Amino acid sequence: MDISIIGAGYVGLCSAAGLALKGNKVICADVDPKKIEKINTGEPPIEEPGLKEALDSTRDKLTATTDINDAVLRSSVTFICVGTPSTDDGSIDLSFVKAASEAVGKALRGRGYHLVVVKSTVVPGTTEDTVLPIIEKSSEKRAGAGFGLCTNPEFLREGSALEDFLNPDRIVIGEFDRKAGDALAKLYQNFNSPVVRTGLKTAEMIKYASNAFLASKISLINEIGNICKSLGVDAYTVAEGVGYDKRIGRAFLNAGVGFGGSCFSKDVLALTHKAKETGNTTPILDEVIKANKEQRKRIIELLKKKITLKSRRISILGLAFKEGTGDVRDSPAVDIVRYLLLEGASVVAYDPKATDNFRKIFPDINYAETARQAIDRSDACLVLTSWDEFRSMQDADFEGMKSKIIIEGRHVLDTNRVTGFEGICW
Ligand code: NAD
Ligand code: UDX
């Protein structure tokens, strides 16, 4: 199939690469000319395992442009993959989705049937109440007759985005009508995953419910982990024992400094706002977000029990919101560095991939080239991301510290190699 993808960020570009690997001809369109140039020279603008190789091997199939109109015209299916950030009050900002919908609609004017698929995460009702009327107005066509409309939420995780796109646990197709759903199902026919076909609003809700469950699972295990620490119980053995229960499962039971990233907080907040609009309250989800924020403060509180922070040099190992990515959006490290600076500490940070992105937020802290360089001469060290290289660290790596105060938030240091550290929940 000939596919256009509007928005070449994490989801857009990884979907584009995945669909090209599956044999489709894909054209990405983005308003950011730097991104487009990089993609066209085979250079992924984001760090994702396998993405560079995918771009290299699909050069004849995947191209990129800043011309949305042209991209739509060259395709029969268009995916909208633009960002849906939070507004100041936490509700969803649909401005990019609206702009992309209008541009797609304009491009469709005077053309034959075309399938439009909303892949961006949008609160239930958005595709039908916002995207559909915008496209109808700008294309001068009717949904169903002149163009098809689907919503197809994406569940990929950063750090394994391409692999997740190609092998999803399920494919959710929300369809305006059967014709549109059939066309999208055809596109996914060479994927080996269960397909759930449903209405537009239900598909949108499946995405939010999934993220709400996952975020809740983490906040719950963190709360259990905090209790475990006080009781002298090992939170990870508890997770193992609990995780064998098939109704619960072991995944997402890693207690620690909490969730970050571009999706969980944003999507849970957007859902709670949507809930209010419909006259519902969300006491559990409100607490999930609050508890996650508190967990970031908890590591500072633990540190303050050991030393005063004013004028201390604190090393931070790990800036990315999780291992395997350079993304720092809503990373726990952002809040934690901010708290440290407010307390008058100085910070020296190390991350194998996220330094450039972190520097955009904190240009004035110190950045080290290696973990050891960050640790040397520091008064305390906080470990905030589970990078593999931290797993093999040993006592010798911490020898240069002024005092050996290490608190770790990701259960990544090996107790057989490093002695005398404390975990946030263990
Ligand atoms: P992103 O910020 O990485 O990428 C969005 C891209 O859209 C940017 O490159 C931006 O320049 C471009 N853009 C904005 N307005 C545009 C327009 N009018 N026309 C063309 N391009 C435009 O965002 P992302 O992380 O890829 O997320 C995209 C959507 O997917 C969001 O709704 C997000 O919630 C959802 N999602 C993200 C993930 C993830 O792990 N990042 C996973 C699943 C779902
Ligand atoms: C998440 C969803 O998993 C994915 O389905 C959705 O499409 C986008 O949002 P992502 O944010 O990329 O993906 O990463 P994920 O692996 O879910 O981790 C999110 C955060 O939770 C990270 O900060 C991670 O460190 C944290 N986490 C995860 C925990 O604290 N404990 C766990 O047990 C698992």
Side-chain angles (χ1 to χ4, degrees):
M1 268 186 205
D2 287 324
I3 299 166
S4 54
I5 303 241
I6 315 301
Y10 277 88
V11 166
L13 184 55
C14 294
S15 304
L19 289 168
L21 285 172
K22 289 281 187 183
N24 300 286
K25 209 152 186 226
V26 187
I27 178 157
C28 291
D30 200 289
V31 288
D32 181 347
K34 280 195 209 124
K35 253 181 209 179
I36 295 306
E37 199 187 318
K38 279 194 168 176
I39 297 168
N40 280 331
T41 51
E43 210 43 62
I46 48 165
E47 289 267 358
E48 273 301 325
L51 188 55
K52 166 102 186 99
E53 293 78 1
L55 293 187
D56 285 343
S57 66
T58 58
R59 282 213 151 184
D60 54 332
K61 294 204 175 67
L62 198 163
T63 51
T65 176
T66 51
D67 187 340
I68 296 176
N69 191 62
D70 187 51
V72 175
L73 291 182
R74 283 166 186 264
S75 61
S76 57
V77 183
T78 297
F79 282 85
I80 296 179
C81 298
V82 297
T84 46
S86 301
T87 60
D88 286 346
D89 69 4
S91 60
I92 190 167
D93 175 355
L94 288 174
S95 56
F96 300 111
V97 169
K98 288 180 184 169
S101 305
E102 191 174 344
V104 171
K106 276 188 182 151
L108 292 183
R109 218 178 270 178
R111 291 203 68 210
Y113 185 85
H114 188 101
L115 179 63
V116 182
V117 184
V118 179
K119 199 176 243 318
S120 298
T121 303
V122 290
V123 289
T126 304
T127 303
E128 196 148 7
D129 302 339
T130 305
V131 175
L132 183 150
I134 292 177
I135 300 182
E136 281 196 338
K137 191 170 173 216
S138 52
S139 67
E140 296 169 351
K141 286 168 176 289
R142 302 283 300 160
F147 66 95
L149 190 59
C150 283
T151 173
N152 172 222
E154 181 52 56
F155 300 93
L156 61 77
R157 294 159 300 172
E158 289 181 27
S160 54
L162 191 55
E163 170 67 20
D164 286 351
F165 177 82
L166 290 167
N167 299 295
D169 288 345
R170 75 307 209 178
I171 292 161
V172 176
I173 295 179
E175 56 202 49
F176 175 76
D177 58 15
R178 188 103 212 140
K179 185 178 175 188
D182 283 350
L184 188 56
K186 199 166 166 219
L187 179 63
Y188 282 116
Q189 69 190 358
N190 57 355
F191 283 64
N192 189 21
S193 304
V195 176
V196 179
R197 281 181 68 168
T198 178
L200 296 170
K201 213 188 278 186
T202 307
E204 291 163 336
M205 191 62 190
I206 290 171
K207 174 66 192 173
Y208 280 90
S210 300
N211 276 357
F213 262 103
L214 293 170
S216 304
K217 208 172 173 188
I218 298 171
S219 276
L220 182 57
I221 197 64
N222 285 344
E223 189 166 305
I224 303 261
N226 294 345
I227 305 169
C228 284
K229 183 173 167 96
S230 302
L231 293 173
V233 168
D234 180 48
Y236 275 69
T237 309
V238 170
E240 188 190 351
V242 169
Y244 280 115
D245 188 323
K246 290 191 188 68
R247 294 167 302 174
I248 300 173
R250 175 61 184 83
F252 278 65
L253 289 183
N254 296 325
V257 72
F259 57 79
S262 65
C263 291
F264 282 166
S265 294
K266 160 181 97 67
D267 293 345
V268 173
L269 272 173
L271 182 59
T272 61
H273 273 263
K274 190 69 194 172
K276 280 196 194 89
E277 272 174 45
T278 54
N280 290 289
T281 57
T282 50
I284 295 179
L285 294 178
D286 295 343
E287 237 6 87
V288 164
I289 295 287
K290 199 168 148 226
N292 192 55
K293 282 271 177 201
E294 289 301 318
Q295 205 66 3
R296 296 173 181 188
K297 286 189 194 143
R298 180 180 162 91
I299 203 162
I300 300 286
E301 294 310 319
L302 290 174
L303 184 58
K304 279 164 76 176
K305 282 189 187 150
K306 294 180 179 285
I307 46 165
T308 53
L309 292 176
K310 194 161 173 45
S311 305
R312 302 289 190 162
R313 184 178 166 92
I314 312 295
S315 49
I316 302 286
L317 301 188
L319 303 172
F321 81 94
K322 67 183 252 195
E323 70 285 6
T325 175
D327 198 346
V328 300
R329 290 182 282 183
D330 193 35
S331 175
V334 173
D335 278 349
I336 288 164
V337 166
R338 201 163 277 142
Y339 296 142
L340 288 170
L341 296 177
L342 280 173
E343 295 276 352
S346 73
V347 172
V348 50
Y350 167 73
D351 189 285
K353 285 210 166 106
T355 304
D356 289 347
N357 285 333
F358 209 78
R359 209 191 291 273
K360 289 178 199 152
I361 308 172
F362 294 102
D364 297 328
I365 64 168
N366 300 299
Y367 292 92
E369 295 289 320
T370 62
R372 192 148 183 174
Q373 202 184 79
I375 295 163
D376 280 353
R377 294 181 297 113
S378 65
D379 293 286
C381 174
L382 302 180
V383 185
L384 302 181
T385 314
S386 349
W387 286 108
D388 266 348
E389 67 173 85
F390 301 156
R391 287 183 203 284
S392 53
M393 292 181 81
Q394 34 198 310
D395 275 329
D397 292 305
F398 296 91
E399 264 170 14
M401 291 183 77
K402 281 195 209 145
S403 48
K404 193 176 177 188
I405 298 173
I406 308 164
I407 306 185
E408 83 122 320
R410 292 297 185 190
H411 208 252
V412 65
L413 296 182
D414 182 345
T415 43
N416 295 316
R417 295 166 188 263
V418 183
T419 52
F421 70 85
E422 184 176 344
I424 183 168
C425 311
W426 53 91

